[in-house]
Amino acid sequence: LNLIENNIDLEEELSLTELEATINSEIPEINYNTDEKEDSSPDFIYIAEDMPLFQGGDVGNFRKWVIRHIKYPEMARRNGIGGRVFIRFIVEPDGTIKHVDILRSVDPSLDDEVIRVIQSSPRWTPGKQHGKAVRVAYSISVLFTLE
């Protein structure tokens, strides 16, 4: 489920030309729950009736926040390294981001920067299933390009 496509140029040589968000798809390692049974393990994720919200809005608000906070690593810039980093994270019932994992790596410096920004995210309004806050997985990609 492709939710976002965006073309944005940032300062100097950095442009994150696309930030895509995919919710609960193509994440084979996670067991999704659609019933009311609960489990607190990191492998137990809901497909929520009400998806998590970031700063009062949808994942588009998160996309804008990531773009404002990400910095092209100097080492990658000097070496002309770019590409798309795919990452997965879980929005916990308390709204925190946990279990941040790289799904597809480009370069350790780019991977680390995406992880840094995702982990520094402010709390989300959690997703809900049957009126109760639950864990919800997100997968996004960040494309680093030099101009």
Side-chain angles (χ1 to χ4, degrees):
L1 175 63
N2 188 3
L3 298 178
I4 295 176
E5 286 188 273
N6 188 29
N7 291 317
I8 294 180
D9 292 326
L10 297 179
E11 327 169 41
E12 298 177 12
E13 301 172 359
L14 168 66
S15 98
L16 299 174
T17 57
E18 291 182 33
L19 177 63
E20 298 173 354
T22 305
I23 302 174
N24 294 329
S25 64
E26 299 178 18
I27 306 174
E29 301 86 14
I30 294 179
N31 298 317
Y32 297 102
N33 183 37
T34 56
D35 62 21
E36 296 183 34
K37 181 182 171 192
E38 290 195 32
D39 190 322
S40 61
S41 74
D43 294 333
F44 200 81
I45 308 299
Y46 280 84
I47 299 174
E49 293 171 333
D50 299 315
M51 294 303 290
L53 298 175
F54 182 78
Q55 297 184 342
D58 64 10
V59 73
N61 281 3
F62 185 60
R63 173 186 47 82
K64 291 174 189 172
W65 184 88
V66 168
I67 289 169
R68 279 195 317 268
H69 290 87
I70 207 150
K71 294 177 173 79
Y72 211 119
E74 186 59 35
M75 185 162 110
R77 181 180 305 188
R78 277 191 312 247
N79 293 318
I81 298 170
R84 186 180 305 274
V85 176
F86 288 84
I87 193 163
R88 176 185 63 204
F89 60 93
I90 296 172
V91 178
E92 295 289 343
D94 65 359
T96 59
I97 300 294
K98 301 283 172 125
H99 307 286
V100 179
D101 297 307
I102 296 292
L103 297 176
R104 189 172 75 186
S105 175
V106 172
D107 178 79
S109 65
L110 300 180
D111 300 346
D112 291 345
E113 178 61 9
V114 174
I115 289 171
R116 179 193 70 79
V117 171
I118 300 296
Q119 288 179 333
S120 69
S121 169
R123 284 184 188 254
W124 293 51
T125 301
K128 292 188 178 181
Q129 182 75 14
H130 305 294
K132 182 174 179 170
V134 294
R135 311 172 93 205
V136 178
Y138 274 87
S139 178
I140 66 170
S141 68
V142 178
L143 178 61
F144 290 86
T145 60
L146 293 169
E147 294 184 349

